[in-house]
Amino acid sequence: MIFISPHLVKVFYKTMNSATQKHVALISVHGDPAIEIGKEEAGGQNVYVRQVGKALAKLGWQVDMFTRKASREQSSIVQHSSNCRTIRLVAGPEEFVPRDNIFGYAPEFVQAFLDFQQQNGIEYGLVHTNYWISSWVGMELKKIQGSKQVHTYHSLGAIKYKSVSTIPLIAKTRLSVEKAVLETAERIVATSPQEKEHMRSLVSTKGNIDIIPCGTDIKRFGSIDRQQARESLEIDPETNVVLYVGRFDQRKGIETLVRAVAQSKSRSQGNLKLIIGGGSRPGQSDGIERDRIEQIIDELGMRDFTIFPGRLGDKILPNYYAAANVCVVPSYYEPFGLVAIEAMASGTPVVASDVGGLQFTVISEETGLLAPPKDDAAFAAAIDRILMNPAWQRQLGQAARKRVETKFSWDGVAAQLSRLYSQLLEAENVASTAQTAAVSA
Ligand code: UDP
């Protein structure tokens, strides 16, 4: 009789599993890929995970996206396509918890993940984690079952804490987790050369980093022209539209935009509309910033030409981008900044802060303009330059669209991630096969 050790069975099972199925778990503890985007804390990370997941599924991957269940009403599983789903695990209370308070529930999340695997007969050999809280989950899974880890930061504590006046208690833990994952993950995905540079200079010189940008849906954005978009939104063709899209968070710099528009020459011409899109209704967690911005609008006498349409859903968002003459991204810092490429894909020039990933996506003088963060006067001058020269505005918009088509489509991004995952799983297979051979010899 031949004795086969349980270890050998496990190695064999793992080898067969990863050789026959392209299975990946995307882990995003606080950024639910299936939730409505644009309010509370839901923004770029949620979009990234969802779009990457869907695009990988089209390439034949079996994609499971794990997040924390944040209300009793939410379904535990959302099926996006036959091989792509969001799985909501119970870890902590089934209610909204601000991201700075979620880390304490990470061990419960790991346990719930392991339980899910056991109940469903799956073991994920590869996990792609998003944001530092999930990176800790990934590191635990590596310790427990040897999962390979790819990690995307979405935001670096080392940068964030430079720009806030009160450092939260969690900061020390976050910084040490961010260093550990850089040094131990099989691969870190930086979404821009600038982000990679910051990881190297502020986090650690050790670890493997690839640059794979974020992407956007180049069919959805760019599907409608300005005239049609304006008709749908009842905006006069002669109006100059300045657009902001994003979360209401002080670091997004909406105040800079408002103060810039207040002093712009375009304002005095009288045909200006400022649209500040995104955010919940007052009273929600992001309502404090919304109230603060509305107060500044009132102080500066801008109420009659400013509108707050609230959260912009998937269907209407392309119309807003297309209707705008210029989209402004005034963030204090942005590791990538999806809004910039969405506007660019829609043929709309962007005025953005000269920081982080925006230096990668927006080519100043070619697809828009960059201005120093928090500099109202520089933003005002940049907005005026674009609004006052319609021919140049069109040229910038066309170049912007071209740049996104060639560099930032989700399908292109997913193809790069797919290659990376395959490399890591192949390396795992080679190692497992060698191990199997050694144990049987
Ligand atoms: N967004 C949206 N509706 C809104 C506001 C924002 O769909 O009302 C989306 C926006 O289109 C983008 C994302 O939220 O895809 C924001 O991503 P970004 O990287 O610009 O910022 P983050 O939220 O990650 O800081």
Side-chain angles (χ1 to χ4, degrees), residues 41-262:
E41 289 179 354
Q45 181 177 330
N46 310 61
V47 173
Y48 176 89
V49 176
R50 179 166 74 207
Q51 297 297 346
V52 160
K54 284 183 172 177
L56 284 166
K58 280 201 278 172
L59 294 176
W61 288 85
Q62 184 73 42
V63 184
D64 286 337
M65 307 188 281
F66 289 88
T67 191
R68 200 186 73 84
K69 199 163 180 221
S71 105
R72 281 183 195 284
E73 285 71 50
Q74 286 177 332
S75 350
S76 297
I77 296 194
V78 178
Q79 197 75 42
H80 299 277
S81 64
S82 60
N83 51 339
C84 178
R85 57 189 175 163
T86 293
I87 297 158
R88 297 190 174 113
L89 302 177
V90 176
E94 288 176 61
E95 60 190 43
F96 174 76
V97 177
R99 67 179 92 169
D100 275 350
N101 303 341
I102 285 185
F103 186 62
Y105 305 117
E108 267 181 70
F109 193 93
V110 171
Q111 190 53 53
F113 186 92
L114 295 172
D115 293 346
F116 180 88
Q117 284 191 146
Q118 199 177 29
Q119 285 150 14
N120 292 276
I122 307 171
E123 185 178 308
Y124 299 92
L126 177 66
V127 297
H128 182 163
T129 53
N130 293 273
Y131 197 60
W132 74 273
I133 300 167
S134 311
S135 80
W136 184 87
V137 171
M139 286 190 284
E140 287 298 294
L141 293 172
K142 181 192 284 290
K143 277 187 226 153
I144 297 166
Q145 60 186 29
S147 303
K148 303 261 173 193
Q149 185 176 17
V150 173
H151 180 65
T152 305
Y153 281 96
H154 295 278
S155 148
L156 282 175
I159 291 180
K160 178 177 172 177
Y161 298 139
K162 277 191 193 170
S163 70
V164 294
S165 44
T166 37
I167 309 280
L169 285 173
I170 197 72
K172 210 168 147 220
T173 311
R174 173 173 178 175
L175 295 174
S176 76
V177 170
E178 287 187 338
K179 183 166 187 288
V181 70
L182 175 50
E183 294 180 349
T184 60
E186 271 63 30
R187 206 62 55 91
I188 298 292
V189 172
T191 52
S192 65
Q194 288 74 9
E195 196 190 10
K196 175 175 177 179
E197 194 40 49
H198 283 131
M199 288 172 198
R200 285 291 178 234
S201 59
L202 301 172
V203 184
S204 177
T205 51
K206 297 193 194 120
N208 302 313
I209 306 175
D210 279 7
I211 299 170
I212 302 180
C214 290
T216 194
D217 185 339
I218 57 172
K219 286 201 196 93
R220 189 158 72 90
F221 296 112
S223 59
I224 180 165
D225 68 22
R226 184 175 291 166
Q227 196 191 333
Q228 279 173 301
R230 287 194 172 202
E231 276 167 22
S232 74
L233 300 173
E234 296 179 3
I235 298 174
D236 186 272
E238 298 308 314
T239 304
N240 270 324
V241 176
V242 178
L243 176 70
Y244 168 86
V245 175
R247 292 180 294 114
F248 274 70
D249 178 319
Q250 205 163 336
R251 280 161 308 166
K252 285 286 179 186
I254 307 173
E255 178 173 355
T256 307
L257 164 63
V258 170
R259 294 194 184 280
V261 169

Side-chain angles (χ1 to χ4, degrees), residues 331-369:
S331 316
Y332 298 169
Y333 182 74
E334 206 61 78
F336 187 82
L338 282 176
V339 164
I341 57 168
E342 290 167 2
M344 288 165 66
S346 311
T348 300
V350 173
V351 170
S353 295
D354 192 2
V355 292
L358 297 169
Q359 295 172 327
F360 174 49
T361 49
V362 179
I363 307 289
S364 205
E365 307 286 339
E366 273 179 40
T367 69
L369 289 169

